[in-house]
Each structure stands twice: as C-alpha cells, then as structure tokens.
Amino acid sequence: DAEVVLVGRSNVGKSTVMRELTGHDVSVGGKPGVTRQPNHFDWTSESFMFTDLPGFGFMSGVESERREEIKTDVIRYVEENAEHVLAGVVVLDGKSAVDIIDRHRERGNVPHDVEMFAFLEDVGVDPIVAVNKTDKIDDLDERLNEICDRLGLYPPWQQWSDTVAPICAKRGDIDALEECLRDRFHEHN
Ligand code: GDP
C-alpha cells in the first residue's frame, strides 16, 4: 500500500496536521521524542497510509544521544520503506524555520529540516514541504521565498507550488497540502 510519511522537528504541528488529514484524534502536544514507533493512519478516501514519524532535532528534556537514536530510526524507517513511500512531508513551523536554519548554518551544522529534505530526495521519496502556522506569519510570500532559498529551491515559491504547501493546521486549513498529495497520488496511479 502507498504510504505518506510526515517528518519534522517537535512542536511544528505534525500531530495537528495528521489529525486534520485523517480525522483521527491523535494526542497533540505530547512529550516530544517519546513515541519511537511510527504511528500509522489510513486516509480512507484515497486509500493510502500516513506514518507520523517521531520528532527529531531539538527536544527539551531529551538527551542528545537519544535524539540521535530517534533520528537514526526515522532515517532507517524511510530507507527500508522508500519503495512504497509515495511522498515525504517535511512539516515546518513557518514562523521559526528560517531563523533556526540560519542559526544552525552559522554554527557550521546542517540544519535538520534541510538534511531531511535532501535525504528524502536522495532515497527517491519526493519531498513536500508543509509550511505550517501561517497564521503567525506577516509577509507570507516573503517567508515562503526565504524557505525555498534555504532548501535550494529557486524562488519565487509559486514555482514550487507542487512541493511547497502553506497551511494553518490549527484552523483546519490544509488545502494546499491535500492538493500536493492528490497530485502525487494521481502521478502514482
Ligand atoms: P508536533 O509535536 O509536531 O506533533 O506538534 P503538535 O501538533 O503537537 O502542535 C504543537 C503546537 O503547535 C500545539 O500547541 C498546536 O496547537 C500548535 N499548532 C499546530 N498547528 C498550528 C497552526 O497552524 N498555527 C498555530 N499558531 N499553532 C499551531
């Protein structure tokens, strides 16, 4: 069965996105990094499966060794299932993503979101970037252009509307993401 995986730092809104996509009430705002097993959900209308992978990156109260373990699990899971993973959705907090990416870069590190985006491409899983919390962003076009730039997608962002989906999961506005997923689903069939 075709599968869609959701990845992203903790607290970006993955559980909220998942709930909006599936109608299942998954526990929102639980302890980050605690769930190590991927959670599976069915999206009955299109008959593919969603997998919410545990958050990676900064998790308060979680030791760095444990964080690395979780990240390794996520990467291994996607590698092992790449053949039937139709799309990988990288969920970002649109308000803070650019600052966090730039901070990591200044320290000479590869930011987690950038790493995950590139990793999905490497294993042949087409990434979709769900830019969440758009209700907290003043100049959305400008912010989406910055996000594209950081991910190596040449702005303007409108050129990438099949890859970049601005959403506000909290208000149930995930149309752009559903549109991206529908496209992938139709390409696949
Ligand atoms: P996860 O750790 O990635 O699964 O994130 P959650 O789904 O638990 O959400 C983390 C927090 O962000 C919660 O307090 C949500 O209510 C909030 N949140 C989720 N989506 C949005 C959104 O679109 N806008 C805003 N302002 N907050 C959101």
Side-chain angles (χ1 to χ4, degrees):
D1 236 15
E3 181 174 348
V4 173
V5 297
L6 269 89
V7 298
R9 304 171 65 87
S10 18
N11 220 40
V12 295
K14 287 186 306 300
S15 311
T16 311
V17 170
M18 185 68 86
R19 190 186 55 208
E20 289 301 323
L21 282 168
T22 64
H24 290 281
D25 200 2
V26 297
S27 62
V28 175
K31 281 186 193 163
V34 170
T35 324
R36 288 194 61 204
Q37 292 304 312
N39 303 311
H40 299 259
F41 297 96
D42 294 313
W43 200 23
T44 43
S45 57
E46 296 278 17
S47 84
F48 55 81
M49 187 173 77
F50 286 97
T51 306
D52 178 17
L53 294 168
F56 55 88
F58 175 77
M59 296 171 234
S60 60
V62 181
E63 285 172 28
S64 69
E65 203 174 297
R66 184 95 172 79
R67 287 203 300 266
E68 282 305 311
E69 245 175 58
I70 293 167
K71 191 162 130 190
T72 305
D73 281 358
V74 169
I75 289 171
R76 187 178 301 138
Y77 183 88
V78 176
E79 272 173 356
E80 283 172 0
N81 293 280
E83 216 169 284
H84 57 96
V85 174
L86 189 65
V89 180
V90 181
V91 184
L92 303 183
D93 178 338
K95 177 84 179 170
S96 61
V98 172
D99 286 346
I100 293 172
I101 288 171
D102 290 351
R103 212 182 310 140
H104 277 262
R105 284 233 165 106
E106 278 161 24
R107 292 189 197 136
N109 299 322
V110 180
H112 298 291
D113 298 322
V114 176
E115 185 180 27
M116 196 45 68
F117 184 82
F119 162 75
L120 288 169
E121 285 186 318
D122 282 351
V123 295
V125 174
D126 256 343
I128 292 170
V129 183
V131 180
N132 193 29
K133 310 199 185 185
T134 53
D135 56 310
K136 292 165 77 178
I137 301 171
D138 294 330
D139 191 339
L140 185 57
D141 285 334
E142 175 60 21
R143 181 56 55 87
L144 293 169
N145 286 340
E146 287 173 352
I147 288 169
C148 279
D149 171 73
R150 302 309 189 271
L151 294 172
L153 306 173
Y154 200 76
W157 78 272
Q158 287 89 346
Q159 295 193 119
W160 302 98
S161 60
D162 55 348
T163 301
V164 176
I167 59 169
C168 181
K170 198 180 180 174
R171 292 185 186 154
D173 178 9
I174 56 160
D175 291 358
L177 175 58
E178 289 190 319
E179 195 57 41
C180 287
L181 288 171
R182 224 169 269 130
D183 282 353
R184 301 296 159 89
F185 188 77
H186 290 138
E187 272 170 29
H188 177 75
N189 280 310

